[in-house]
Amino acid sequence: MKLKDKVAIITGSASGIGEATAVRFAAEGAKVVVCDVNQAGIDRVVADLQATGAAAVGFVVDVTNPESIAAMVTAVKAQWGRIDVLVNNAGITMDAQLYKMSDDQFDRVIDINLKGVYNCTKAVVDTMIEQNSGVILNASSVVGVYGNFGQTNYAATKFGVIGFVKTWAKELGKKGIRANAVCPGFVATPMVKAMPEKVLQGMEERVPMKRLAQPEEIASVYAFLASDDASYINGAAIEVTGGLTL
Ligand SMILES: NC(=O)c1ccc[n+]([C@@H]2O[C@H](COP(=O)([O-])OP(=O)(O)OC[C@H]3O[C@@H](n4cnc5c(N)ncnc54)[C@H](O)[C@@H]3O)[C@@H](O)[C@H]2O)c1
């Protein structure tokens, strides 16, 4: 078990990659904190994890709301005494080409995908500094390395969270804390599966492996980066794309 007794907070873990990451972390022995805005999804994931014998708790947290994050951090520390891993996974898309994008679309995506990562990391960093150990993992994207049509707002946030980990790697490395980003290509989650069949087929065609990633194939990379197997990986942005960008 790679993550035995590590306390891990995973944002946006009521669905998709976050849920798969919660399941994988629990299987690796972690104590998992499921947090999301989706109460029904939290309840389902926590019940599934507990049914396997895993230690799991759920919190309704909006990553744009520092009070809700602080309440979770306080409760987790009261219950388990520490925070070893934060996976900043919560994210949304509100796509439009630049000339059609509303300020609301821009601001909402920045608030959740970029400021939300800042809010959550700020809320745990003092604890990690006190412990002299911790791992921070940010959900970037292939779009955060290459940009994408219709995603001015999303691309800015996914580039931004890579900037965060490179900065935090420099600031926090001497305090025993590692920070890395994961940049998936196309992953078969509710976010992507909602797209028209023709668009999905076009996406698969562009990948040398001729298929989308399964959420578990991203979760396994988070588990590796959270573990001591990745003890010298710091400030990296790891592409997990099936070769999409070649
Ligand atoms: N699916 C892909 O192809 C893909 C590719 C690259 C990167 N990503 C990134 O991976 C992450 C997860 O994506 P997914 O495809 O699993 O999406 P998803 O929509 O399945 O899950 C995202 C979760 O975040 C939660 N969430 C949304 N706003 C929130 C908020 N304000 N506070 C707390 N939780 C909130 C949602 O309720 C949902 O449960 C995102 O950051 C996404 O940008 C996804």
Side-chain angles (χ1 to χ4, degrees):
M1 285 196 181
K2 281 188 199 312
L3 302 174
K4 183 103 186 80
D5 292 332
K6 302 269 189 204
V7 177
I9 297 174
I10 304 163
T11 69
S13 43
S15 165
I17 296 167
E19 176 178 353
T21 303
V23 170
R24 179 62 190 262
F25 275 38
E28 297 289 353
K31 297 173 176 169
V32 176
V33 181
V34 176
C35 62
D36 203 293
V37 285
N38 172 357
Q39 172 85 69
I42 294 169
D43 292 346
R44 180 181 54 76
V45 174
V46 170
D48 286 352
L49 293 176
Q50 289 176 342
T52 69
V57 284
F59 294 91
V60 176
V61 167
D62 181 337
V63 297
T64 68
N65 177 340
E67 286 77 31
S68 73
I69 302 166
M72 169 182 65
V73 168
T74 302
V76 170
K77 286 181 70 180
Q79 184 164 352
W80 286 327
R82 51 188 298 114
I83 296 169
D84 297 296
V85 185
L86 170 66
V87 183
N88 283 307
N89 167 77
I92 62 162
T93 53
M94 291 181 81
D95 296 349
Q97 288 180 63
L98 175 61
Y99 75 101
K100 289 185 190 160
M101 184 168 288
S102 68
D103 288 352
D104 183 57
Q105 281 175 308
F106 184 80
D107 291 343
R108 187 80 188 128
V109 171
I110 299 287
D111 275 353
I112 294 175
N113 297 14
L114 188 68
K115 184 96 187 278
V117 172
Y118 164 84
N119 289 337
C120 293
T121 310
K122 270 283 261 187
V124 304
V125 74
D126 287 346
T127 303
M128 290 183 174
I129 290 171
E130 276 165 32
Q131 294 167 181
N132 204 28
S133 74
V135 177
I136 300 158
L137 300 174
N138 287 355
S140 182
S141 165
V142 69
V143 174
V145 184
Y146 301 96
N148 199 24
F149 190 96
Q151 294 197 309
T152 292
N153 48 3
Y154 185 81
T157 65
K158 297 303 179 183
F159 270 79
V161 299
I162 293 176
F164 283 167
V165 297
K166 289 184 186 294
T167 299
W168 297 338
K170 289 184 177 179
E171 290 184 359
L172 301 171
K174 62 180 171 294
K175 301 181 191 298
I177 300 166
R178 296 185 292 106
N180 292 293
V182 175
C183 307
F186 304 129
V187 189
T189 66
M191 189 191 255
V192 167
K193 282 195 278 192
M195 292 178 179
E197 187 57 35
K198 220 173 147 199
V199 177
L200 280 175
Q201 278 172 4
M203 288 161 98
E204 285 174 344
E205 209 38 53
R206 285 172 55 196
V207 184
M209 294 175 72
K210 303 297 175 202
R211 65 174 179 85
L212 306 184
Q214 293 303 312
E216 294 74 15
E217 294 177 301
I218 311 303
S220 61
V221 179
Y222 282 125
F224 164 67
L225 289 172
S227 78
D228 291 342
D229 286 349
S231 53
Y232 206 60
I233 301 181
N234 193 22
I238 311 271
E239 292 186 28
V240 189
T241 67
L244 169 68
T245 58
L246 299 174

